[in-house]
């Protein structure tokens, strides 16, 4: 195999792999399809083609797989787009392992196009776009090398280095043309039947549970994955929010874990009101990402209304109802990969629930203490408060004492019999759940109602909105203040409330989020309206006309510049197309004759000026040259292809040239063994 051929096949196979990866990043392809394609790609890159002589068998296997996928689609257990993408990957794998000829190359590239189209339907996220670009570049270079290789006579090396510069230039023009086509061609919604959401790579990390159990390491605090995106109205326009995103609260503690006194579910509805609203509510449009992994709605404290929820699944997006549970938790009724909804919260400092608004069992639970609670907890609280009876002032006093006397850590041992006593009197180290639990119980020992709240703390600004990470998961205390409702008091040291992940990693993820946001706005959501906006920006002046001055009807200078550029591009394209169509194309028979002459030259047989291949064959026959028997059928077939109307069939030229090469090699070996000079063809 020639060096150029090997390079072309590697680029072809890698391009196909990039196309398959554009589907795989959605996380929706079946595991068996990932394994089968991965094995096929590795084998193909190693230069092995085990399906070269098993075309019918592999075709039958593909048919069986197609029937199986179709059955699963009809049964509703597999999405149609996912099934089509998996089958396209198997077709590409089968072609990668088949005989590498022109037909196979075309089928590999065609299946690659099908796969990138499937990848767009499955996810279309930023990573997909990167694999799309890689596929386009590799496939374009592989196709161009194939054209160059077909023009080089058999037996001669492909001038890879000489053509890579022009090929790179051509690929660059192709990319520019593709971008121009994307911008100018009328947009169509070609993602209508695809899944509505992609689970992405990795497992969900920030799910809520019905209980909060103390003990163990707080590994989630180091996770930088983004679980929530939100846009706020009015926009606080801060780079970092010191905000609490509440998901649910807990009021019963048994010494090891927190739960709720009331866990009954209210009826489902599309909009639920948790507490009466008022003026100046803070509106939030919230997107819960696949990394979130729960069905609990979160909102800024203190939420008033939640609703207008949409669940995104692999089979599409649909409106979903929500229902309220105990502890103020609101859940989506339907499961989904991701969600979006609207939330309205009271402005900071506004009054929330009062004790009269709570059922009697919840009022009692706010003062309950676990059996066997260490008596030192109450004694310590009384000593620190020193007679302070105002709930909010007492909570803040205890919070300041905990932050001063105790340190924050994520490295804890496993379960202990009494985690509260272990935190307060032994280790004197813990994470947010330990600080919040200690504050809540210490308040209760003094007859002050309090509960544990969980959710997230913080929010970083990204492209006009805010993102919240898995590492922002947090727990804090709600103290019930008569006449004001529940007020947040956080005993955790301020430096350790937000994500504890490495800053560099967070910055990289922020950069990715910014780029992905631009990708969604500029590429995924680009539509006909955006095209009109681009046209208007080129044809209309941005200057606001002065008062009492009629608007100018003369197009701005950039409109003339755009027109000149478009005209120059059209003229250049016309000239290149004209040159391409008018160029002299060598006939297949002529290329065949050039390859024959190259073989004869290696045997030191050359044609004189004006001597045709037919005349050379006749001269060698008269001289009884040893290569004459092998050259005669080659010459006859050339004449039939050149003048007799019988073009060379696929593979025929290779076979004839192989026979001639074998004869040349045999003659060279005979001459070498006899130690004589090879017979020279005399010019007539």
């Amino acid at each position: 195999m020639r060096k150029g051929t090997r390079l072309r096949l590697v680029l072809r196979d890698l391009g196909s792999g990039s196309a398959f990866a554009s589907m795989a990043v959605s996380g929706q392809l079946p595991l068996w399809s990932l394994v089968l394609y991965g094995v096929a790609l590795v084998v193909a890159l190693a230069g092995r083609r085990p399906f070269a002589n098993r075309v019918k068998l592999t075709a039958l296997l593909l048919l069986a797989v197609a029937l199986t996928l179709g059955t699963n689609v009809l049964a509703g257990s597999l999405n149609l787009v996912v099934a089509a993408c998996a089958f396209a990957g198997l077709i590409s794998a089968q072609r990668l392992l088949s005989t590498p000829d022109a037909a196979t190359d075309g089928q590999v590239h065609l299946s690659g196009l099908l796969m990138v189209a499937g990848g767009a339907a499955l996810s279309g996220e930023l990573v997909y776009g990167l694999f799309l670009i890689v596929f386009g570049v590799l496939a374009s270079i592989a196709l161009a090398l194939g054209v160059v290789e077909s023009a080089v006579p058999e037996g001669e090396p492909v001038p890879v280095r000489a053509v890579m510069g022009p090929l790179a230039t051509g690929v660059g023009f192709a990319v520019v043309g593709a971008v121009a086509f994307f911008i100018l061609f009328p947009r169509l919604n070609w993602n209508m039947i695809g899944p509505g959401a992609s689970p992405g790579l990795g497992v969900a990390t920030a799910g809520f549970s019905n209980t909060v159990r103390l003990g163990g390491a707080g590994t989630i605090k180091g996770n930088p994955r983004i679980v929530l995106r939100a846009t706020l109205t009015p926009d606080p326009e801060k780079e970092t929010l010191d905000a609490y995103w509440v998901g649910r609260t807990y009021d019963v503690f048994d010494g090891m874990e927190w739960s709720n006194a009331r866990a009954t579910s209210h009826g489902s509805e599309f909009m639920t009101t948790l507490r009466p609203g008022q003026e100046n509510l803070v509106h939030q449009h919230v997107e819960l990402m696949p990394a979130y992994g729960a069905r609990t709605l979160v909102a800024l404290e203190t939420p008033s209304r939640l609703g207008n929820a949409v669940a995104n699944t692999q089979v599409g997006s649909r409106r979903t109802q929500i229902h309220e549970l105990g502890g103020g938790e609101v859940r989506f009724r339907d499961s989904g990969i991701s969600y979006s909804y609207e939330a309205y919260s009271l402005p900071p400092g506004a009054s929330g629930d009062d004790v009269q608004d709570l059922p009697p069992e919840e009022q009692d639970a706010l003062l309950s203490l676990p059996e066997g609670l260490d008596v030192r907890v109450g004694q310590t609280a009384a000593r620190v408060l020193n007679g302070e009876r105002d709930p909010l002032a007492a909570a803040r006093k205890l919070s300041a004492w905990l932050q001063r006397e105790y340190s924050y850590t994520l490295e804890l041992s496993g379960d202990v019999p009494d985690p509260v006593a272990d935190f307060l009197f032994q280790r004197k180290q813990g994470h947010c759940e330990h600080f919040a639990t200690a504050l809540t119980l210490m308040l209760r020992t003094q007859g002050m109602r309090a509960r544990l709240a969980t959710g997230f703390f913080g929010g970083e600004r990204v492209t006009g909105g805010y993102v919240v990470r898995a590492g922002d998961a947090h727990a804090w205390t709600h103290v019930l203040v008569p006449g004001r409702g529940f007020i947040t008091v956080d005993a955790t040291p301020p430096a350790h409330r937000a994500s504890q992940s490495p800053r560099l990693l967070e910055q990289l993820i922020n950069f990715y989020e910014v780029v992905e946001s631009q990708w969604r706005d500029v590429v995924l959501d680009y539509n006909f309206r955006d095209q009109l906006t681009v046209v208007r920006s080129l044809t209309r002046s941005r200057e606001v006309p002065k008062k009492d001055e009629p608007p100018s009807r003369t197009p701005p200078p950039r409109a003339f510049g755009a027109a000149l550029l478009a005209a120059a591009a059209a003229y250049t394209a016309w000239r290149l197309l004209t040159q391409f169509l008018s160029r002299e194309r060598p006939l297949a028979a002529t290329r065949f004759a050039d390859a024959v002459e190259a073989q004869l030259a290696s045997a030191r047989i050359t044609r004189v000026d004006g001597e045709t291949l037919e005349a050379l064959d006749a001269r060698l026959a008269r001289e009884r040259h040893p290569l004459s028997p092998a050259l005669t059928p080659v010459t006859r077939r050339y004449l039939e292809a050149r003048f007799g109307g019988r073009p060379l069939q696929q593979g025929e030229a290779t076979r004839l040239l192989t026979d001639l090469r074998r004869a040349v090699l045999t003659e060279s070996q005979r001459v070498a063994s006899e130690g004589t000079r090879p017979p020279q063809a005399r010019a007539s």
Side-chain angles (χ1 to χ4, degrees):
M1 182 181 295
R2 291 188 289 182
K3 179 180 179 181
T5 303
R6 174 63 179 163
L7 176 62
R8 175 178 59 81
L9 293 177
V10 169
L11 294 177
R12 184 202 71 176
D13 297 346
L14 290 176
S16 176
S18 299
F20 185 84
S22 72
M23 301 188 303
V25 293
S26 69
Q28 301 185 57
L29 293 183
L31 179 61
W32 56 264
S33 66
L34 299 176
V35 174
L36 290 178
Y37 185 88
V39 172
L41 180 61
V42 171
V43 173
L45 290 174
R48 306 292 183 181
R49 314 291 171 180
F51 292 171
N53 299 320
R54 298 178 177 86
V55 178
K56 294 183 178 180
L57 175 61
T58 54
L60 290 176
L61 291 176
L62 285 175
L63 179 60
V65 172
L67 293 175
T68 303
L69 292 173
T71 303
N72 290 331
V73 170
L74 293 177
S77 60
L78 190 63
N79 179 267
L80 175 61
V81 176
V82 175
C85 291
F87 189 64
L90 293 182
I91 291 177
S92 182
Q94 192 264 355
R95 292 287 82 196
L96 290 179
L97 301 180
S98 301
T99 304
D101 53 27
T104 302
D105 291 347
Q107 292 160 359
V108 170
H109 292 307
L110 178 60
S111 63
L113 290 173
L114 294 176
M115 289 190 290
V116 295
L122 291 177
S123 66
E125 298 296 332
L126 178 61
V127 179
Y128 158 81
L130 298 178
F131 283 117
L132 171 63
I133 294 173
V134 173
F135 164 75
V137 172
L138 295 180
S140 299
I141 295 177
L143 284 169
L145 285 177
V147 174
V148 174
E149 183 181 343
S150 64
V152 175
E154 186 70 25
E156 294 187 11
V158 179
V160 177
R161 292 186 178 181
V163 301
M164 287 306 294
L167 289 184
T169 303
V171 171
F173 278 112
V175 171
V176 173
V179 172
F181 179 83
F182 176 85
I183 294 175
L184 300 176
F185 193 78
R187 308 311 312 143
L188 299 176
N189 186 6
W190 63 305
N191 195 21
M192 294 177 60
I193 64 172
S198 166
L201 302 178
V203 296
T205 56
F208 283 86
S209 62
N210 293 327
T211 62
V212 173
R213 186 176 182 86
L214 297 188
T219 55
I220 196 173
K221 295 298 290 184
N223 193 317
R225 293 189 68 186
I226 292 175
V227 297
L228 180 154
R229 288 195 188 106
T231 55
L232 309 182
T233 306
D235 190 347
E237 298 183 354
K238 296 180 179 179
E239 291 301 317
T240 303
L241 289 179
D242 293 327
Y244 292 87
W245 302 81
V246 64
R248 65 174 300 168
T249 61
Y250 303 86
D251 47 24
V252 176
F253 185 66
D254 63 2
M256 291 293 296
E257 65 181 15
W258 287 92
S259 59
N260 289 108
R262 180 172 62 93
T264 57
S265 173
H266 294 256
S268 299
E269 49 193 344
F270 289 107
M271 178 71 74
T272 184
T273 299
L274 300 179
R275 52 188 54 84
Q278 57 184 42
E279 295 182 355
N280 303 322
L281 291 177
V282 180
H283 173 260
Q284 307 131 64
H285 176 75
V286 181
E287 295 179 76
L288 297 180
M289 311 307 294
Y292 179 65
R295 291 165 59 183
T296 300
L297 286 77
V298 295
L300 290 174
E301 287 194 329
T302 304
S304 172
R305 296 198 309 273
L306 300 165
N308 295 331
V310 174
N312 304 312
T313 68
Q314 292 187 359
V315 295
S317 300
R318 63 176 180 272
R319 194 180 181 195
T320 180
Q321 292 183 327
I322 56 179
H323 60 112
E324 182 183 354
L325 301 175
E329 180 185 14
V330 179
R331 288 187 182 179
F332 300 102
R333 183 59 82 174
D334 298 322
S335 298
I337 297 172
S338 61
Y339 301 92
S340 64
Y341 58 95
E342 308 289 328
Y344 294 86
S345 298
L346 302 182
S351 299
D353 300 321
D354 203 345
V355 65
Q356 291 81 9
D357 301 328
L358 302 177
E361 64 269 23
E362 289 192 35
Q363 296 184 33
D364 296 338
L366 293 174
L367 288 173
S368 66
L369 295 169
E371 294 182 5
L373 179 68
D374 195 309
V375 295
R376 292 176 295 176
V377 176
Q379 295 171 354
T380 303
R383 176 174 54 82
V384 173
L385 291 179
N386 193 25
E388 177 63 63
R389 302 308 302 166
D390 179 75
L392 183 57
R396 289 173 175 171
K397 194 170 185 178
L398 286 171
S399 174
W401 177 79
L402 287 169
Q403 293 177 20
R404 183 174 63 252
E405 300 294 332
Y406 294 82
S407 60
Y408 184 92
T409 182
L410 297 175
E411 300 299 328
L412 297 176
S413 57
D415 292 339
V416 294
D418 191 343
V420 177
D422 180 70
F423 168 69
L424 287 174
F425 309 116
Q426 297 296 326
R427 294 180 60 90
K428 296 189 177 182
Q429 290 182 321
H431 49 70
C432 59
E433 292 172 356
H434 296 86
F435 282 91
T437 298
L439 175 59
T440 304
L441 294 181
M442 294 176 82
L443 287 169
R444 289 183 179 185
T445 62
Q446 306 306 303
M448 303 174 189
R449 291 182 171 87
R451 67 188 183 188
L452 185 84
T454 59
F456 302 91
F457 174 81
E460 297 180 50
R461 190 169 186 85
V462 174
T463 61
Y466 292 90
V467 298
V468 175
R469 306 179 187 280
D472 292 325
H474 192 50
W476 60 95
T477 298
H478 282 168
V479 56
L480 187 58
V481 180
R484 295 186 58 184
F486 285 104
I487 303 297
T488 290
V489 179
D490 196 347
T492 302
H496 301 287
R497 294 172 184 174
S499 174
Q500 304 296 305
S501 58
R503 187 59 186 169
L504 177 60
L505 186 58
E506 290 185 0
Q507 290 176 346
L508 291 176
I509 293 181
N510 279 349
F511 174 76
Y512 175 84
E513 281 293 315
V514 171
V515 176
E516 185 182 36
S517 178
Q518 294 297 321
W519 167 263
R520 290 195 298 171
D521 294 340
V522 177
V523 179
L524 295 185
D525 297 334
Y526 185 75
N527 53 35
F528 184 68
R529 180 178 298 177
D530 296 322
Q531 291 177 310
L532 292 178
T533 301
V534 172
V535 174
R536 291 192 186 101
S537 66
L538 293 175
T539 58
R540 295 183 180 179
S541 176
R542 298 178 183 176
E543 297 181 359
V544 179
K546 297 180 180 180
K547 188 177 180 180
D548 300 331
E549 181 179 338
S552 174
R553 295 185 179 182
T554 304
R558 61 177 176 275
F560 293 104
L564 289 175
L565 288 176
Y571 176 76
T572 303
W574 174 77
R575 287 294 305 270
L576 293 175
L577 181 62
T578 302
Q579 294 175 4
F580 176 80
L581 295 177
S582 61
R583 80 186 193 282
E584 183 179 354
R585 296 177 176 81
L587 300 174
T590 303
R591 293 197 300 270
F592 177 64
D594 293 338
V596 171
E597 185 174 359
Q599 291 292 333
L600 295 177
S602 65
R604 299 184 181 179
I605 298 176
T606 57
R607 290 187 291 178
V608 298
D609 293 339
E611 186 178 31
T612 62
L613 182 61
E614 181 181 10
L616 175 62
D617 178 48
R619 176 162 61 83
L620 295 182
R622 290 194 303 270
E623 298 172 357
R624 297 184 179 182
H625 195 281
L627 292 180
S628 177
L631 180 61
T632 298
V634 172
T635 304
R636 184 187 318 113
R637 191 66 190 90
Y638 161 72
L639 294 174
E640 292 174 349
R642 184 74 171 83
F643 305 106
R646 288 187 55 205
L648 294 167
Q649 301 299 317
Q650 184 175 356
E652 187 178 6
T654 301
R655 179 179 56 79
L656 292 171
L657 290 172
T658 300
D659 294 341
L660 181 60
R661 188 185 306 110
R662 189 179 298 114
V664 171
L665 181 60
T666 301
E667 176 62 16
S668 299
Q669 293 174 347
R670 184 190 65 81
V671 171
S673 62
E674 294 179 357
T676 60
R677 296 182 61 186
Q680 301 293 320
R682 299 188 303 271
S684 307

